[in-house]
Amino acid sequence: MDTLIGVLPGLMFVSLVVGLFSTLPVPVVLLSVTAVFAAIALALGEMRWVHFSLFPARMFGGVIDNAVLVAAPMFIFMGVVMEKTAIAEDLLGALQKVLRRVPGGLALAVVVMGTILAAATGIIGASVVMLTVMALPTMLRAGYAPSVASGTVASAGTLGILIPPSVMLVFMSDLLSLNLAKLFVAAFIPGLVLAAAYMAYVTGRAVLSPGTAPPAAPLTAEERRGLGREVFVSLALPLCLIVAVLGSIIGGFASPTEASGVGAFAALALGLLRGRLGLRVLGEAIDGSLRTIAMLFFIFVAATAFSFVFRQLGGEHFIVGAANALDLGSWGLLVTMMLMVFVMGFFFDWIEITLILLPIFAPLVALMDLGDHIPKADLIYWFTVLVAVNLQTSFLTPPFGFALFYLKGAARDMVSMRAVYRGIIPFVAVQALVLALLIWQPDIVMWLPHAVLQ
C-alpha cells in the first residue's frame, strides 16, 4: 500500500501526458485526471472529503480574485484592438517601403514588424495571421522561396510570447509567485536579442543565396512621395502604445496590472485617432477578447485543480526525491529541464507546458546552486526567461506547432505544409543558439532589471 501511495504522483503525471495526446480538450483532460486521482486518494485515505471544500476557495483566491492575472485580459483586448483597427497593417506597409533595397528587405520588415507587434500586443495567433495575410503574398510575388517566406512570418509572429507585455509571462509570474514587473524587464533584452538573431539569419541568407530572398525593385516617384510622413505616422502610433505600457512599468509609474489598463486605453485612443474604431469594430474586439480569455482561464482553473491534488498526493516531495536520486547536479538538472520543455514543445502548446511543468520545476529550481555563474536571488528569474525562450519553439516545432497551423490556415494554398516545415527549421536552430547564449551569459537577462529596478 505504501509503495502505491509513493508512486501516485508519478502515475498522475504520466496519466496527464497520455491524456493530452487524446483529442479531448486540454481542460477536460486536466479535470478528468484530477477527478480520478482525487477519488483514488480518497479511497486510500490520502485525502478526506473536507479537502474538496477547499477547491472553490483555492480557485477563487488563486485565479479569479488575482490582481496580477487582471493584466492578461487587458493585454489581450489591447492586442485585438490593434488588429481590428489595422494600425499594424499601416506599419508593415511603411517598413516594406523603407527596407525595399536592403538584402532580404521584405523579410527584415516582417521581423521588425513582428518585434513591434510583440511589444504592442503579445498575442501569437493574431500576430501570425496578420503577418501571413499582409506579408506572405507580397514576399512570394517578390520571388522569395516559399520556405524562407513562411519561416520568416511564423517565427516573427511568435516573438510576442517573449517580448513584454507577454500574456505568457503574466501567467508564469503568477505560477512562480514572481514580481511581474521584474520578469517583464528581464525578458525585454532577450526578446530583442532573439529578434536581432532572426534578422542576422535573414540578411545572411539573402546575401549568400539571393535567389531565395531577392531585393525588390526601387520605389517609383509616386511611392516615394509622402513616404516620410507615412513612416512617421505608422511608427509613431504603435511606439506610443509601447511607451505607454513598458515606459510606465520601467519608469515605476504603474504596476504591470495598471499598465495593462493604460495599454488598453491607448489602443482605443489610437483607433479613434485613425478614425477606425466604430461600434462594429469595438464589438468584434470585445467578442474576440472574451473568447480568448475564457479559453485561457478555463485551462488555468483546471490546472489549479490538478496542482492541488498533485500536491496533496505529495507531488513536490516525489519530484525532489526523484531529482536527488538521479544525482544530476545543478547543471544537469538545468539541462534536463530545458530538454523536457523543448521535447514537450513538439506536442503541446505553451499553456499546457507552463501550467504542468512550472509547478513541478519550482522546487527543483529552489534546490539548484550554480555558484558564481548567477546569484541565487536571480536564479528563478533567469530560469523563467530561459523557459520562455524555450517555449517559443513550441509554436514552431512540428507536428503541433500552432504558429504553423495559423500560418497555413491563413495562407491556404499559397504555400505547402512541407515548405512551412522546411522553412522553420533554421529559425528553431537560431532559437536554440540564443537559448545557449542566455545560459552562457546570464547578465543578458539580469542586467536591465538590476539597472532600472534596484
Side-chain angles (χ1 to χ4, degrees), residues 22-97:
S22 70
T23 57
L24 293 172
V26 172
V28 172
V29 172
L30 281 165
L31 290 175
S32 300
V33 172
T34 299
V36 168
F37 278 85
I40 294 173
L42 194 65
L44 295 177
E46 288 299 296
M47 289 183 67
R48 299 195 304 272
W49 284 106
V50 70
H51 287 129
F52 292 97
S53 67
L54 300 176
F55 276 157
R58 184 178 179 86
M59 290 179 185
F60 184 84
V63 180
I64 301 170
D65 189 28
N66 190 318
V68 174
L69 293 183
V70 172
M74 300 297 279
F75 283 137
I76 290 170
F77 177 71
M78 180 181 72
V80 175
V81 170
M82 287 283 289
E83 175 195 0
K84 299 296 183 183
T85 54
I87 291 173
E89 187 174 345
D90 295 341
L91 177 60
L92 182 59
L95 289 172
Q96 286 177 345
K97 292 179 181 179

Side-chain angles (χ1 to χ4, degrees), residues 11-385:
L11 291 174
M12 187 176 183
F13 179 72
V14 172
S15 300
L16 176 62
V17 173
V18 172
L20 288 172
F21 280 98
S22 70
T23 57
L24 293 172
V26 172
V28 172
V29 172
L30 281 165
L31 290 175
S32 300
V33 172
T34 299
V36 168
F37 278 85
I40 294 173
L42 194 65
L44 295 177
E46 288 299 296
M47 289 183 67
R48 299 195 304 272
W49 284 106
V50 70
H51 287 129
F52 292 97
S53 67
L54 300 176
F55 276 157
R58 184 178 179 86
M59 290 179 185
F60 184 84
V63 180
I64 301 170
D65 189 28
N66 190 318
V68 174
L69 293 183
V70 172
M74 300 297 279
F75 283 137
I76 290 170
F77 177 71
M78 180 181 72
V80 175
V81 170
M82 287 283 289
E83 175 195 0
K84 299 296 183 183
T85 54
I87 291 173
E89 187 174 345
D90 295 341
L91 177 60
L92 182 59
L95 289 172
Q96 286 177 345
K97 292 179 181 179
V98 171
L99 298 172
R100 201 175 184 91
R101 298 299 296 167
V102 178
L106 285 178
L108 288 175
V110 171
V111 176
V112 173
M113 177 68 180
T115 307
I116 295 174
L117 276 180
T121 67
I123 304 173
I124 304 307
S127 296
V128 173
V129 171
M130 270 194 289
L131 289 176
T132 301
V133 172
M134 292 186 291
L136 189 62
T138 304
M139 296 175 76
L140 294 176
R141 284 196 300 268
Y144 277 67
S147 59
V148 174
S150 56
T152 302
V153 168
S155 55
T158 59
L159 285 169
I161 204 69
L162 178 61
I163 297 177
S166 162
V167 173
M168 184 183 76
L169 293 179
V170 175
F171 283 100
M172 291 174 80
S173 71
D174 180 71
L175 284 170
L176 297 175
S177 300
L178 302 180
N179 182 310
L180 181 55
K182 187 174 181 178
L183 185 59
F184 271 3
V185 175
F188 188 68
I189 289 181
L192 296 183
V193 169
L194 185 57
Y198 285 166
M199 296 174 73
Y201 165 73
V202 166
T203 303
R205 178 70 180 262
V207 171
L208 297 175
S209 182
T212 60
L219 292 173
T220 64
E222 184 178 348
E223 288 176 323
R224 286 197 300 269
R225 192 177 300 118
L227 179 59
R229 181 182 179 279
E230 179 185 351
V231 171
F232 175 77
V233 173
S234 300
L235 277 172
L237 293 180
L239 286 177
C240 286
L241 186 60
I242 294 169
V243 170
V245 176
L246 296 183
S248 61
I249 295 173
I250 294 175
F253 302 110
S255 68
T257 303
E258 294 165 340
S260 67
V262 172
F265 176 80
L268 292 172
L270 293 178
L272 284 172
L273 188 63
R274 296 291 279 173
R276 297 170 181 169
L277 188 67
L279 289 177
R280 181 184 62 81
V281 171
L282 182 60
E284 291 175 355
I286 293 173
D287 181 69
S289 302
L290 284 175
R291 291 176 186 274
T292 304
I293 294 162
M295 181 271 293
L296 284 173
F297 274 79
F298 186 18
I299 294 176
F300 209 91
V301 167
T304 301
F306 177 88
S307 176
F308 178 79
V309 174
F310 187 74
R311 286 196 173 101
Q312 287 295 125
L313 294 177
E316 290 186 12
H317 301 295
F318 177 83
I319 295 297
V320 171
N324 287 332
L326 291 173
D327 194 25
L328 296 172
S330 294
W331 282 108
L333 272 178
L334 178 65
V335 172
T336 301
M337 289 187 285
M338 289 297 110
L339 285 174
M340 286 181 64
V341 173
F342 181 76
V343 172
M344 287 190 72
F346 281 80
F347 307 103
F348 306 121
D349 193 7
W350 71 266
I351 305 172
E352 297 98 274
I353 299 172
T354 301
L355 297 179
I356 294 166
L357 289 186
L358 278 190
I360 294 173
F361 286 169
L364 299 181
V365 176
L367 292 175
M368 291 168 56
D369 185 358
L370 300 179
D372 294 335
H373 189 70
I374 184 167
K376 187 78 172 178
D378 293 339
L379 182 60
I380 187 64
Y381 288 93
W382 174 64
F383 174 80
T384 305
V385 172

Side-chain angles (χ1 to χ4, degrees), residues 124-126 128-129 132 349 395 401-411:
I124 304 307
V128 173
V129 171
T132 301
D349 193 7
F395 282 91
F402 282 83
L404 310 184
F405 294 146
Y406 292 142
L407 185 148
K408 182 65 174 128

